[in-house]
Amino acid sequence: MKGLTEPLCPECGNSFTLDELVSDRYEPKLFVVTGFGFFVSSIVCVISIVLYPLGFVYFGLCIWWAAAQHRIAAMSLGARRILLCLAWLPTAAVALIALGVVMYSLF
């Protein structure tokens, strides 16, 4: 699309705006929060001993997330949101279990 003088696709002839091209492709905040989620979840899983093997899987996902930016950019926004939920799932589960144990011990 570089060098075009009109907002028309040279292949199909459809018109476009810059916002349409960029809006679904890349959300920096979503990218960073998901990668951080994989990293935090890997640490939480390793610390919790019971989920120790899952911690290594999440650390591998963290490395994949950092290395495969071009593949992630090609994913739909919905798929990236699903990965965001997957990234934080172990952390949320361990936090809820810890909260339950604390609440149980108080009452």
Side-chain angles (χ1 to χ4, degrees):
M1 299 292 184
K2 200 176 200 179
L4 294 178
T5 57
E6 298 176 355
L8 293 174
C9 176
E11 294 178 10
C12 65
N14 289 334
S15 62
F16 61 87
T17 64
L18 185 59
D19 290 335
E20 291 172 343
L21 293 176
V22 177
S23 66
D24 285 342
R25 291 312 234 168
Y26 184 69
E27 288 188 14
K29 292 177 186 174
L30 180 66
F31 185 81
V32 171
V33 170
T34 304
F36 187 66
F38 281 127
F39 183 69
V40 169
S41 290
S42 69
I43 292 171
V44 167
C45 288
V46 168
I47 289 173
S48 69
I49 302 298
V50 176
L51 302 172
Y52 194 77
L54 188 62
F56 288 108
V57 171
Y58 267 80
F59 190 69
L61 287 170
C62 180
I63 293 170
W64 168 78
W65 188 259
Q69 293 181 14
H70 62 282
R71 290 184 184 153
I72 295 160
M75 290 179 180
S76 69
L77 186 58
R80 285 182 277 151
R81 287 183 178 158
I82 290 170
L83 282 174
L84 174 66
C85 294
L86 179 70
W88 287 99
L89 183 67
T91 302
V94 169
L96 285 174
I97 291 169
L99 181 65
V101 168
V102 169
M103 295 301 286
Y104 181 75
S105 67
L106 291 176
F107 299 108

